[in-house]
Every structure is written in structure tokens, then in C-alpha cells.
């Protein structure tokens, strides 16, 4: 979806800008019906852009969150591949709808774009991340190797973040709608890859029965999904009760870790505004801002694929084979705190960066905090956070199989609250001007600071 954000911002801005100047100064509208992008950085246009983007992001996250548990029931009954295909469908629709609204601008108003994310009820980031991270966690019981896997997975996201804005910037200068077509093509190519994925969430359990092979992460006992008389409402309610029981039955460390996931997810909602922030505050075109974001992604990618894995492996080698899980957990807590401190500094530096030359190093510092999920997700397998359960649990009822689902739900709640909050702060900041433009990043830094306080309460020794 990194191909989507840049051209979408420009498409909305262009429509709002043309509508504004059509009534205030038609002379600046060119023969092709467009207005120079530099003239579109005025407050009234940017406020409208921020409002529409905030609403769209909230709808996308909200639909994903509300339908996560019901989609878990669907995955239980029909298999996770179907749910992943539905995820692809929701994304294809969002891209296609942007093209439709753009080409039929004489019939469809700008606000019609808000309908684009409505198919997030077919699934979004929450279900997708639950599946992928749990699969990676099941590959090994070694905390260092698991952290490395998480780093590789995060790095893939940053590869996309690296290539996406740059590719979007290059293609949108040729044709604004070209990135949308490329995005649809890539999503279609992902369909056969989804078909290659295993149905089982327990890849290493070769003795699992055929029914267990279809158990998803957000599942309750399989027999419930196979019972035709079991209503979707009842199954959804049972899942919520199951997840609540798991949270309350786990140690205090688990609850504190969930709070930290919520706070960091809320804080990271500021990244959605970054391209608008750069474009408005420094009067940059969206295409130019995309190249700058790709530079930030280079730091993220290098950190997660090279520096962090090498660092963890060297630390393990220096301490020898006697390294115990407890000491590894303590290291994860320590490194997570470092990432949080760096995130606070980076967010505040972005907020006060009055010139572009001040923003560049601030972005690099902020990017260093991207390693945080490597250590926080690894802590989920710590005995001090998620105590091991007896062998009497079957694959479907074992709480360990729900942990990553709970985490993704909590992160989604944080994003659901963060999207409208950051949008409102941004619109308010535009109205006030000056350093108030950095309001979303001041709040983001405060959330990271609160997360540091929460982390100090986690005891793994």
C-alpha cells in the first residue's frame, strides 16, 4: 500500500485545490484544469486533505478491528487462505475506487474517496500480521533466532517502504494514476503466493490432525466452527471471552507489555502524516517528499537486516552457550527501552524541525527506533510474560496460539485511536501555524515516554 499514499494525497489535494481556486481565483487554473502544486499548500486545502485522510485511515482501521474476530471464525471454517484473499480484495477495491473517483471527477465529489477503505471489513493489517508473526514465532524456540526472524519480517516491510515511495514518486510524475494500477497488479500477483501458504498455524507439528491444520490464530475449538447450528454472534462472543480469560490469567508483565503495544501503536500513527507534514511545512511536492521517505526507509532496512541481527549474534557469541532465557529477556527489555528513548528524541526533533536540513537528521534518529518490535515481540515468548502451559492443552485451546492475535488486536486499537487523534492535531496545528504544526509529533513523543514508564514495571529477572 506504500504505492497508494503519495498519489492519493496528491489526488485529493489537486481536487480540493482546483475547487478552491475555481471560486476564489480561476486565473491560476491551467488549460488542463490543474493548479500548480506549490499554490496548493495553503491552509484551507491542507486542512481538507488532513480531514479526508484522517477519516479514511479511521474507517480502514475500524473495519479491520471490528471484523477481526468474525473473520477468525471464517478462517476456522473455510481456511486462512480465504481470509488472506479477502484481504487482497479489500486493497484492490481501495486502489480501484481511487482511480474511478479520479477519472469521473465530474460525477463523483472528492469526499467519495472516503468509501475506498470501507471494504476493510473483509480484513486488514490485524489479521494479516497475526498470521505472519505467529508463523514466524512457531519456527523456533530460540529467543535470539526468533528476534532475528522478526527483524527480517520487519525489514521486508521497510523494503516496501523503501521502494514504494520512490516508485510512486517516479511514476506519479508520469501519470498520477499509474501507481494505483501498479498496486493492483502487485496485489493480483500475490494471489498465487497466498495459495502456497500452509493452512496450519503450527508448521512444525507434523502429527497434527487435518482439522488442526485449519486452526487460525483467532480461533476457539474447531468443533465450534464445524457445528452448523453455532451462530456467528455466539462464536464471536466466546472468542472475546477466551481472549479476556487469557489476558487475566497471565502475569502482570503481560498486561504491561500490552499497554506498551497500545501506546507505541498510538504514537506511530504519526508516520501516516509524515508526507503531508513535509509537503505543508517545507512546501515540498509530494513526489519530492516520497524520495525523502525512501531515504528514511534505507536506515530502517539496514538497521533491521544487518545491524540488529549481527549485534544480537555477536552478543550471544561473546557470552557463550551458557546464555539463559532469563538473561535474553533482560536484554530484550533493555534494548526496547533504548529504542523507546530514541523514538522520543526522534519524534520531538521532527516536531521542532523548522527547516528541511533539520528534519533530515531528525528522521534518521526516529528511524533508529524502528527496531522496537524485534524486542517487544520476542518478549511474548518469555516465561515471565507468557508462562508455558502443560501438555494437556490441545492445539486449539492452548493460550499460546492466541497471544499474537491479542497483541495485534491491541495494536489495532492503538492505531484506531491514533488515526483520528493525529488527524485532529494536524488540522489544528495548521490553523495555529509555526511550531504548532509539530503537534502530532509532540504527542507521539509523549506516548513513547509513557511507554518507557510502563516498561520499567516489567520484571523478567
Amino acid at each position: 500500500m506504500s504505492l497508494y499514499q503519495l498519489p492519493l494525497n496528491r489526488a485529493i489535494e489537486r481536487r480540493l485545490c482546483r475547487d478552491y481556486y475555481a471560486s476564489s481565483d480561476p486565473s491560476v487554473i491551467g488549460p488542463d484544469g490543474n493548479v500548480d502544486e506549490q499554490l496548493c499548500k495553503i491552509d484551507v486545502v491542507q486542512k481538507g486533505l488532513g480531514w479526508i485522510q484522517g477519516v479514511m485511515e479511521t474507517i480502514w482501521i475500524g473495519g479491520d478491528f471490528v471484523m477481526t474476530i468474525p473473520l477468525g471464525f471464517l478462517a476456522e471454517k473455510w481456511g486462512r487462505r480465504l481470509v488472506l484473499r479477502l484481504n487482497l480484495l479489500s486493497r484492490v477495491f481501495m486502489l480501484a475506487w481511487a482511480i474511478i473517483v479520479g477519472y469521473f471527477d465530474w460525477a463523483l465529489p472528492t469526499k467519495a474517496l472516503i468509501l475506498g477503505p470501507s471494504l476493510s471489513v473483509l480484513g486488514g493489517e490485524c489479521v494479516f500480521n497475526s498470521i505472519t508473526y505467529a508463523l514466524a514465532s512457531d519456527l523456533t524456540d530460540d529467543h535470539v533466532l526468533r528476534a532475528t526472524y522478526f527483524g527480517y519480517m520487519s525489514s521486508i516491510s521497510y523494503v516496501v517502504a523503501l521502494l514504494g515511495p520512490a516508485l510512486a514518486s517516479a511514476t506519479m510524475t508520469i501519470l498520477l494514476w499509474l501507481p494505483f494500477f501498479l498496486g493492483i497488479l502487485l496485489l493480483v500477483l500475490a494471489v498465487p503466493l497466498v495459495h502456497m501458504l500452509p493452512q496450519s498455524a503450527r508448521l512444525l507439528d507434523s502429527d497434527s490432525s487435518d482439522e488442526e491444520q485449519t486452526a487460525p490464530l483467532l480461533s476457539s475449538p474447531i468443533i465450534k466452527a464445524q457445528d452448523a447450528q453455532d451462530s456467528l454472534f455466539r462464536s464471536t462472543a466466546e472468542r472475546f471471552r477466551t481472549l479476556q480469560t487469557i489476558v487475566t490469567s497471565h502475569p502482570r508483565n503481560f498486561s504491561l507489555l500490552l499497554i506498551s503495544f497500545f501506546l507505541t501503536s498510538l504514537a506511530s500513527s504519526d508516520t501516516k502524516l509524515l508526507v503531508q507534514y513535509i509537503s505543508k511545512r517545507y512546501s515540498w511536492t509530494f513526489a519530492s517528499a516520497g524520495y525523502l521517505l525512501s531515504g528514511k526507509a534505507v536506515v530502517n532496512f539496514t538497521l533491521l537486516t544487518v545491524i540488529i541481527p549481527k549485534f544480537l549474534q555477536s552478543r550471544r557469541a561473546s557470552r557463550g552457550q551458557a546464555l539463559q532465557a532469563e538473561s535474553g529477556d533482560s536484554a530484550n527489555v533493555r534494548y526496547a527501552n533504548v529504542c523507546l528513548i530514541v523514538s522520543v528524541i526522534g519524534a520531538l526533533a521532527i516536531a521542532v524541525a523548522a527547516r528541511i536540513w533539520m528534519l533530515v537528521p531528525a528522521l534518521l534518529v526516529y528511524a533508529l527506533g524502528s527496531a522496537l518490535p524485534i524486542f517487544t515481540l520476542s518478549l511474548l515468548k518469555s516465561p515471565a510474560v507468557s508462562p508455558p502451559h502443560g501438555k494437556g492443552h490441545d492445539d486449539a485451546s492452548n493460550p499460546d496460539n492466541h497471544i499474537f492475535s491479542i497483541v495485534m488486536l491491541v495494536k489495532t486499537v492503538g492505531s484506531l485511536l491514533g488515526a483520528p487523534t493525529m488527524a485532529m492535531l494536524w488540522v489544528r496545528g495548521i490553523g495555529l501555524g509555526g511550531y504548532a504544526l509539530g503537534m502530532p509529533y509532540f504527542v507521539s513523543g509523549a506516548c513513547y515516554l509513557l511507554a518507557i514508564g510502563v516498561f520499567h514495571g516489567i520484571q523478567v529477572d
Side-chain angles (χ1 to χ4, degrees), residues 194-231:
V194 170
H195 183 72
M196 296 170 62
L197 292 174
Q199 292 280 46
S200 173
R202 306 290 293 176
L203 294 178
L204 302 181
D205 186 3
S206 60
D207 297 327
S208 297
S209 65
D210 291 338
E211 289 81 7
E212 288 173 334
Q213 292 290 329
T214 61
L217 299 169
L218 296 172
S219 65
S220 59
I222 296 170
I223 189 66
K224 290 188 173 73
Q226 295 175 333
D227 185 0
Q229 304 301 319
D230 193 15
S231 68

Side-chain angles (χ1 to χ4, degrees), residues 258-271:
L258 290 181
I259 295 174
S260 73
F261 278 119
F262 169 79
L263 290 171
T264 55
S265 182
L266 194 159
S268 63
S269 297
D270 63 354
T271 57

